[in-house]
Structures are given as C-alpha cells and as structure tokens.
Amino acid sequence: MVVAPSAVPTLSAGAYRAPAKVFHWLTAALVLSTIPAGQLMVRKGLDRPLQDALFIYHKNIGMVILGVVLLRLVYRIRHPPPPLPPSVPVWQRRVAGLTHEALYLLLIVQAVSGYIRVKAGGFPIEWLDAWGIPSPVPRSGGLADAAQAVHRWNRLLLIALIALHIGAALFHAVVLRDGVFQRMWPTFRRR
C-alpha cells in the first residue's frame, strides 16, 4: 500500500507509535520462545510430561502469534511506519521493506501450516478447542504430512530471516548509531 507523504503522520525522531512497539516486541518474545520449544519437543528420549507441555505450549502460542501478527498487519496498514532517516541508502530501504514483508508472510505460513498439521493429524489445540472453535481442516494423514513438511522448511527460512533482522538492527544500533534501532526500542518515561 502506497501512502502519499502528506498522509503519513509525522512522529518525533521517526519513532514508531507505542502500539507498533508493543506488537513488535510481543511478536518477538512469543516467536523466540516457540523456536526452542519446537526444537526441544521433538527430541528423542525427552521426558514425556515435559514433551507434552512443550507441544501444548508450542501449538497454543502459535495460534496466539497468528492472532497478534494479523492484528499487527491491520494496525500497520492503518498506521504506516515512520520514514527511515535520510542517511539510510535506498537499497537498504528496499531490503528493509522486503524483509518486513517476508517476516509477516513466513510467520503466517508457519502458524497456518502448524495449525493444519495438528488438526489434520487429529490432535487438539487446547485453547481453541476449549472455546468450542470447530476445525475447518479434515483429518488426513497426507495433509498432515504435507503441512509438517511446509512447517519444517518454513521454520528454517524464518529463523534465517529473524537472524538477518536482528543482525541488521544490531548493526544500526552498535556500529552505525543512526537512530534506526531506537525507532522501535521501547521508551520508558521517568516520573
């Protein structure tokens, strides 16, 4: 979505609004907690109660992530991000834009493929089931296997893109010190 420069509200020092920061850091915390949980829960020989707890956590937080990402997208459409500082080269602006779009896409694919894998495999997603939300996904071993493959490969792309995103943020914060990182960093006011 292209927004005319005059329609983009100006923010002090190009900082993101508080809701955008909350969405960003909440998404980051949830995603970064599900990655190790997902890695650990499939290990052979893991204590069964711990494995079950990790599966429950991973499945349910995956649905929370999907909801947060969808809300975040709606917010971002209604409130476009502030412009990058003029010191950021055009190619970096393009890469940043593509990276953010890819992160949204991969997060949605990851959550949807996980949901399909679980439901097609005949397993519960406890929070959704407790609310009585019916599954639109039929039970199917072939569909569960296909969704599991998408989930597995997409995970690798997502982890690589997250690492790139974190690396770029740290580069701007530590090396360039150009204010790009501070745009998303939470601000705490003293009373």
Side-chain angles (χ1 to χ4, degrees):
M1 176 176 143
V2 177
V3 179
S6 61
V8 178
T10 57
L11 300 172
S12 62
Y16 281 86
R17 291 178 173 85
K21 291 179 181 184
V22 169
F23 279 130
H24 176 272
W25 292 106
L26 178 60
T27 304
L30 293 172
V31 169
L32 292 176
S33 74
T34 58
I35 292 171
Q39 294 294 109
L40 187 58
M41 72 188 194
V42 295
R43 289 185 60 190
K44 302 277 190 227
L46 187 64
D47 180 55
R48 188 62 191 198
L50 174 59
Q51 187 177 41
D52 290 344
L54 289 170
F55 268 106
I56 290 168
Y57 178 82
H58 189 81
K59 293 183 296 182
N60 289 282
I61 295 302
M63 294 300 93
V64 172
I65 291 169
L66 179 60
V68 170
V69 168
L70 293 175
L71 288 172
R72 185 176 175 186
L73 270 172
V74 169
Y75 181 85
R76 187 177 177 109
I77 290 167
R78 294 181 52 94
H79 304 281
L84 286 163
S87 61
V88 177
V90 172
W91 72 269
Q92 284 184 10
R93 293 171 189 271
R94 287 187 184 135
V95 169
L98 291 172
T99 299
H100 284 100
E101 290 173 9
L103 280 169
Y104 282 114
L105 176 64
L106 293 176
L107 286 168
I108 291 168
V109 168
Q110 195 67 0
V112 170
S113 64
Y115 176 84
I116 293 171
R117 161 53 185 121
V118 169
K119 288 304 192 175
F123 300 102
I125 297 180
E126 291 75 8
W127 291 352
L128 297 181
D129 293 348
W131 290 341
I133 298 173
S135 172
V137 177
R139 191 164 184 175
S140 163
L143 181 58
D145 291 345
Q148 185 175 23
V150 169
H151 198 71
R152 183 180 303 120
W153 287 105
N154 189 72
R155 162 191 61 118
L156 298 174
L157 293 172
L158 186 56
I159 289 170
L161 203 54
I162 289 169
L164 175 69
H165 182 68
I166 292 170
L170 290 174
F171 181 71
H172 281 281
V174 176
V175 177
L176 297 179
R177 297 181 185 191
D178 58 3
V180 171
F181 178 80
Q182 287 74 15
R183 293 162 20 106
M184 186 54 80
W185 190 250
T187 52
F188 303 100
R189 295 186 180 149
R190 293 184 183 167
R191 291 182 181 196

